[in-house]
Amino acid sequence: MKKIILLSLYSAFTLTGCVSSHQTVLPDIKEVKFPDVEVVTETSLGERMLESGKITSVDGFILYSDVSIFDGIVKSGEYHQIGIKENHKVYGPKDDHGTGIIDVFGSPSPAKPYIDGNTGSLCFLGGFGTRFCSDSVKPIVRKINTYSADGFMQELIYTGKLGDKIRFTYREFQNGVARQAFNVDVEYDLSESNQISYKGATVEIIDASNKHIKYKVIRHFN
C-alpha cells in the first residue's frame, strides 16, 4: 500500500508539475490556385484538373496504438503541432481535448507529447522540466489538412470524352464537407469552341481523350 501511494505521488509530480512552456505555432493558411494560369497542364481521367480555395494545414502524425513511456501513456489518435520548445515540436490531439496523455492510473495528464528534434523519438514534457522518450517509436510527421469555419474549395474533375463532347464534374466543399447541391456534371462541345467556362473559370482545351486531357487555365474560379 505504501509503495502504491509513493508511486502515485511520484507520477503526480512528474506528470503534473510545472509543465514546460512552449512557443505557440499557428496553422498554415494559404490560398490555393491550381494549376498556374497560362501554363500547359496534363491531367488523367478522373483527376482534379482545376482547384481553387483556402487550405489550412498543420504538421501532424497518427499513433495507431497507445505508447507507454515511463509512467505516462500517449493515447492512440491523430496529433497536430501546437508549438515548439527549443528544437522540439510539441503536439496536441486534433480534437483539442486534453493533451492525449494519461498517467499509469488512467488519469488525464497536462504533460505534452513532443518529437525530439535530434532523434525523432516520441517523448513527453513532464513536470519540473522532466523529459521522457520512447526507445522505439518515431512518428512519421506529414502535412495534414484541417478545416476552418471559412474553409471553402472548388474543383473541376475531368470525366471523359465522347465524340467532340468532353465532360466534367464540378464540386464545392465547405469546411471539408462536400456541398451536394453544388455537385454538378457539365458537358461541352469542342466543335463549337476549344474554351470552356464555368463559375467564372475559363479553360482552353488543347487535347483530350478518354485517358487524359491537356489544357491551359485562362482564368480561375471567382
Side-chain angles (χ1 to χ4, degrees):
M1 181 67 180
K2 185 176 181 180
K3 286 184 178 180
I4 294 176
I5 293 173
L6 288 174
L7 180 58
S8 177
L9 289 173
Y10 183 70
S11 296
F13 276 115
T14 55
L15 285 176
T16 66
C18 194
V19 176
S20 303
S21 60
H22 62 268
Q23 179 182 348
T24 300
V25 171
L26 298 176
D28 180 27
I29 302 175
K30 62 181 179 180
E31 295 288 339
V32 173
K33 296 286 186 182
F34 171 82
D36 294 335
V37 297
E38 301 295 340
V39 174
V40 177
T41 305
E42 186 171 328
T43 297
S44 299
L45 181 71
E47 291 186 340
R48 184 184 301 112
M49 60 176 286
L50 194 63
E51 183 180 41
S52 180
K54 182 186 293 185
I55 289 180
T56 302
S57 63
V58 296
D59 282 343
F61 63 86
I62 296 175
L63 293 180
Y64 294 98
S65 59
D66 295 353
V67 179
S68 296
I69 305 175
F70 190 56
D71 60 346
I73 300 171
V74 185
K75 300 295 291 180
S76 61
E78 184 175 311
Y79 288 80
H80 296 171
Q81 185 182 3
I82 59 173
I84 188 167
K85 175 71 173 179
E86 298 168 357
N87 66 329
H88 310 304
K89 291 184 176 181
V90 183
Y91 292 83
K94 66 172 292 187
D95 58 11
D96 292 328
H97 294 151
T99 65
I101 298 179
I102 61 174
D103 62 26
V104 290
F105 301 103
S107 301
S109 167
K112 297 179 177 66
Y114 76 91
I115 293 180
D116 188 282
N118 299 316
T119 66
S121 296
L122 178 65
C123 312
F124 66 74
L125 298 171
F128 306 105
T130 53
R131 298 167 184 256
F132 303 101
C133 298
S134 169
D135 294 327
S136 58
V137 179
K138 296 184 178 182
I140 298 174
V141 178
R142 59 184 177 85
K143 285 292 183 183
I144 297 176
N145 291 337
T146 61
Y147 302 99
S148 56
D150 59 349
F152 179 70
M153 292 293 297
Q154 297 171 279
E155 63 180 24
L156 194 66
I157 297 172
Y158 181 53
T159 55
K161 184 175 185 284
L162 182 62
D164 288 331
K165 295 182 179 181
I166 54 176
R167 297 170 176 172
F168 307 88
T169 295
Y170 171 81
R171 299 193 300 187
E172 290 185 3
F173 295 84
Q174 188 76 47
N175 304 332
V177 179
R179 304 174 73 192
Q180 293 302 323
F182 294 89
N183 193 333
V184 182
D185 293 321
V186 292
E187 183 178 271
Y188 294 88
D189 192 337
L190 290 177
S191 66
E192 297 178 358
S193 175
N194 71 333
Q195 287 194 357
I196 64 170
S197 295
Y198 194 77
K199 290 281 187 174
T202 300
V203 179
E204 178 184 331
I205 308 301
I206 298 172
D207 183 48
S209 69
N210 274 322
K211 291 184 178 179
H212 75 277
I213 184 168
K214 187 179 291 185
Y215 60 99
K216 182 168 60 176
V217 176
I218 307 301
R219 185 172 60 248
H220 272 283
F221 294 118
N222 290 333

